[in-house]
C-alpha cells in the first residue's frame, strides 16, 4: 500500500504534455521459491532464469515515476495493460518500443482522455505499404543529420509518421552486404529490404509535427541510459533474495536508488562536471578520494570548507568537483584589483582667485562693407 501511494504521489506531478517512456529490462533471479523467477526469451543465451522489471520514466523531469516486477517469461506486450492499470497512469504521452503495441491498451486510452501514445510499428506492417509511407515528402529541420519524413492521417484519431535516416540506412546496407559476402548474395532479398534501410514508422493518436515526433524518439533512449546505470553503476544485475515479497521490496529500494542516481546526474550536468568527465569517473573521485576526519570542528548542517585541515589526501581535482556540486565551500576569492596604475597623491588643488574666464571662444566682430554689389 505504501509503495503504491509513493508511486501515485510521483505520478500526480506529471502534466498532460509530459512524455512518459515505458520499457523493461531482465534481471537474473535463480530463486526456486518465488514464482517470478522464470526462463525468459533470452534464457537460451544467458542460461539462467530472470525477472522482468518495467519502468515509467518522465522525460521532462528526467526521473523514473514508477516500476513493477513481473515474471521473467511474461513478454512486454502482455504486461503493458497491467502496468498502466496497476499504476493508474492517467495522463501524459506514452513512448514505447515495438514490444508495446497500442492495441493492448485500447480500452485504457478510451477511459483516460488525457493519456496518449507514440509507438513505432514493425517494418512488415501492412499499413506502411497501404498508405505509401516510404514515399517521403520533406526533411526534418534542426538536425545535424539528414532525416526524411512523411505524415499521414489514417483515421479520425490515428496518424502515421515515417522517417528515413540516411546515415542509418548506409550502416544497415553495409551490414547486409557484409553478411552477403559470407552467406551469398540474394538479389530478391536485397531488393525487398533495401527500401526499409534506415526507416522507422510511428503510430500516434495525436496530431504532431514531424520534428516533435523525431525528438521524442531520440529522448526515449534516456530510459535505456537509466537501465544502463541501474545494472552497471548501481551494480544491480541480479537479485539475491528469495520470496516474492522480498523481490518486490528489494526492487522498490532499487527504484529509490535509481531516483537518487538520476538526481545526481542532473546535478552534475547542471554544474558542468559531466562536460569534463564521465559519470563513472566523477563517482570514482568522490568514492575513493574523499576522506575527512570527524573532529570537533565538524558540523553536519554546514558545508565544510575546502581549505580546512580535516581533509585527508584530497586532490585539487576532487575538491573542484565537490565545489561544483556544492559539497564543500570554496575559499573566498580576494576582491579583483583595479586595472591601470594607481593615482598619485599630489596634494590639494590650489584655490583659484580672481574672475573666471568666460566659457567658449569670443565671437569675431562682423565686418561692415560700404561697397555696393556689382551690377550686371
Amino acid at each position: 500500500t505504501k509503495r503504491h501511494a509513493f508511486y501515485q504521489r510521483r505520478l500526480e506531478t506529471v502534466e498532460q504534455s509530459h512524455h512518459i517512456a515505458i520499457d523493461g529490462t531482465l534481471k537474473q533471479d535463480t530463486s526456486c521459491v518465488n514464482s517470478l523467477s522464470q526462463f525468459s526469451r533470452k534464457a537460451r543465451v544467458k542460461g539462467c532464469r530472470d525477472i522482468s522489471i518495467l519502468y515509467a520514466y518522465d522525460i521532462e523531469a528526467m526521473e523514473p515515476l514508477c516500476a513493477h516486477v513481473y515474471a521473467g517469461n511474461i513478454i512486454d506486450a502482455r504486461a503493458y495493460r497491467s502496468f498502466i492499470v496497476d499504476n493508474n497512469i492517467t495522463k501524459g504521452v506514452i513512448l514505447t518500443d515495438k514490444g508495446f503495441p497500442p492495441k493492448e491498451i485500447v480500452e485504457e486510452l478510451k477511459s483516460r482522455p488525457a493519456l496518449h501514445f507514440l509507438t513505432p510499428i514493425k517494418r512488415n506492417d501492412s499499413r506502411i505499404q497501404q498508405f505509401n509511407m516510404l514515399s517521403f515528402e520533406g526533411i526534418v529541420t534542426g538536425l545535424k543529420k539528414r532525416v526524411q519524413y512523411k505524415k499521414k492521417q489514417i483515421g479520425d484519431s490515428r496518424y502515421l509518421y515515417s522517417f528515413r535516416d540516411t546515415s542509418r540506412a548506409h550502416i544497415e546496407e553495409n551490414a547486409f552486404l557484409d553478411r552477403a559476402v559470407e552467406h551469398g548474395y540474394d538479389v530478391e532479398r536485397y531488393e525487398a529490404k533495401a527500401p526499409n534501410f534506415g526507416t522507422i514508422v510511428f503510430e500516434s493518436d495525436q496530431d504532431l509535427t514531424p520534428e516533435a515526433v523525431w525528438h521524442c524518439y531520440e529522448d526515449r533512449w534516456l530510459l535505456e541510459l537509466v537501465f544502463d546505470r541501474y545494472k552497471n553503476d548501481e551494480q544491480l544485475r541480479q537479485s539475491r533474495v528469495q520470496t516474492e515479497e522480498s523481490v518486490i521490496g528489494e526492487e522498490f529500494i532499487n527504484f529509490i536508488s535509481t531516483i537518487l542516481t538520476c538526481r545526481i546526474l542532473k546535478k552534475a550536468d547542471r554544474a558542468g562536471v559531466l562536460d569534463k568527465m564521465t559519470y563513472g569517473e566523477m563517482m570514482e573521485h568522490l568514492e575513493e578520494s574523499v576522506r575527512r576526519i570527524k573532529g570537533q570542528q565538524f558540523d553536519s548542517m554546514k558545508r565544510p570548507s575546502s581549505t580546512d585541515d580535516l581533509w585527508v589526501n584530497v586532490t585539487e581535482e576532487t575538491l573542484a568537483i565537490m565545489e561544483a556540486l556544492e559539497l564543500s565551500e570554496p575559499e573566498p576569492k580576494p576582491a579583483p584589483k583595479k586595472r591601470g596604475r594607481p593615482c598619485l597623491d599630489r596634494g590639494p588643488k590650489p584655490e583659484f582667485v580672481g574672475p573666471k574666464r568666460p566659457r567658449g571662444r569670443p565671437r569675431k566682430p562682423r565686418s561692415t562693407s560700404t561697397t555696393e554689389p556689382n551690377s550686371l
Side-chain angles (χ1 to χ4, degrees):
T1 303
K2 293 182 179 180
R3 180 171 57 90
H4 281 289
F6 180 79
Y7 291 156
Q8 286 304 307
R9 289 287 298 274
R10 297 188 60 78
L11 288 167
E12 288 173 0
T13 63
V14 178
E15 299 181 5
Q16 187 172 349
S17 60
H18 282 198
H19 298 84
I20 303 174
I22 296 179
D23 203 354
T25 186
L26 294 173
K27 182 176 177 179
Q28 181 178 334
D29 187 298
T30 57
S31 172
C32 58
V33 177
N34 66 74
S35 60
L36 298 174
S37 177
Q38 299 291 338
F39 288 104
S40 66
R41 64 187 185 280
K42 295 183 179 180
R44 60 185 179 85
V45 178
K46 301 174 63 176
C48 61
R49 288 176 292 183
D50 300 305
I51 57 174
S52 177
I53 306 170
L54 260 63
Y55 264 58
Y57 180 84
D58 190 336
I59 291 178
E60 279 72 17
M62 298 182 67
E63 287 187 11
L65 295 169
C66 57
H68 206 288
V69 184
Y70 295 92
N73 59 350
I74 294 183
I75 61 176
D76 295 337
R78 288 174 55 192
Y80 193 13
R81 180 183 177 276
S82 172
F83 186 79
I84 298 293
V85 174
D86 293 345
N87 293 288
N88 194 26
I89 301 177
T90 60
K91 54 186 176 181
V93 182
I94 299 177
L95 307 178
T96 61
D97 59 13
K98 299 176 183 179
F100 298 84
K103 63 181 181 180
E104 299 291 337
I105 58 169
V106 174
E107 297 300 326
E108 284 65 36
L109 292 172
K110 292 180 180 179
S111 60
R112 295 167 168 83
L115 187 65
H116 305 279
F117 71 92
L118 177 63
T119 306
I121 62 178
K122 296 182 178 180
R123 287 182 174 179
N124 58 358
D125 195 301
S126 60
R127 292 173 294 179
I128 297 177
Q129 298 296 330
Q130 178 183 355
F131 297 102
N132 200 19
M133 295 304 298
L134 299 183
S135 297
F136 303 100
E137 57 188 21
I139 298 177
V140 180
T141 58
L143 301 178
K144 295 182 180 179
K145 52 187 176 181
R146 301 171 184 87
V147 178
Q148 300 170 285
Y149 75 85
K150 181 177 181 179
K151 174 181 177 181
K152 181 70 175 180
Q153 184 174 0
I154 62 174
D156 295 336
S157 60
R158 287 290 187 274
Y159 296 85
L160 290 181
Y161 304 88
S162 61
F163 298 91
R164 180 178 182 270
D165 185 349
T166 55
S167 58
R168 183 66 184 174
H170 185 66
I171 294 174
E172 292 185 8
E173 184 176 13
N174 287 342
F176 179 89
L177 296 177
D178 290 341
R179 289 192 298 268
V181 172
E182 299 180 1
H183 305 287
Y185 182 72
D186 189 340
V187 179
E188 295 182 356
R189 190 165 180 266
Y190 174 79
E191 292 179 350
K193 285 184 170 293
N196 293 319
F197 288 151
T199 63
I200 186 169
V201 183
F202 295 90
E203 179 185 2
S204 178
D205 59 346
Q206 282 190 308
D207 186 2
L208 305 171
T209 62
E211 288 77 10
V213 174
W214 182 261
H215 288 302
C216 289
Y217 166 66
E218 291 188 329
D219 290 340
R220 198 193 70 82
W221 286 100
L222 292 173
L223 182 53
E224 299 292 344
L225 296 178
V226 170
F227 286 139
D228 181 70
R229 306 291 185 197
Y230 177 91
K231 290 187 175 181
N232 297 319
D233 295 324
E234 299 176 35
Q235 301 294 327
L236 302 176
R237 296 188 183 91
Q238 57 185 358
S239 176
R240 300 184 182 274
V241 294
Q242 299 297 321
T243 64
E244 291 187 12
E245 291 80 5
S246 300
V247 171
I248 296 173
E250 181 189 45
E251 289 309 318
F252 179 58
I253 300 301
N254 294 340
F255 177 82
I256 297 176
S257 301
T258 307
I259 295 175
L260 297 177
T261 303
C262 292
R263 293 186 178 181
I264 292 173
L265 280 167
K266 289 193 294 182
K267 180 79 171 182
D269 188 39
R270 288 195 300 264
V273 178
L274 298 183
D275 297 336
K276 304 176 183 178
M277 62 185 67
T278 63
Y279 173 80
E281 293 172 345
M282 180 192 72
M283 295 303 295
E284 184 178 353
H285 276 284
L286 297 177
E287 291 174 358
E288 299 181 1
S289 303
V290 179
R291 296 291 183 272
R292 185 172 173 81
I293 300 174
K294 185 175 180 180
Q296 296 179 357
Q297 301 176 4
F298 181 80
D299 188 353
S300 60
M301 301 303 295
K302 295 181 180 180
R303 284 185 294 175
S305 175
S306 300
T307 58
D308 61 24
D309 298 330
L310 300 181
W311 298 108
V312 180
N313 298 329
V314 179
T315 62
E316 294 184 359
E317 184 179 7
T318 304
L319 282 177
I321 296 173
M322 295 180 63
E323 291 174 0
L325 297 175
E326 299 179 350
L327 298 177
S328 67
E329 193 70 32
E331 181 182 3
K333 297 181 180 180
K337 297 181 179 180
K338 295 183 179 180
R339 300 182 62 183
R341 292 183 300 176
C343 297
L344 298 177
D345 187 9
R346 298 180 179 179
K349 294 183 179 180
E351 184 178 357
F352 182 79
V353 180
K356 295 182 178 181
R357 183 176 66 86
R359 297 180 62 184
R361 189 173 58 182
R363 293 182 179 181
K364 293 182 179 181
R366 291 184 179 181
S367 61
T368 57
S369 177
T370 57
T371 60
E372 296 181 358
N374 298 331
S375 59
L376 297 179

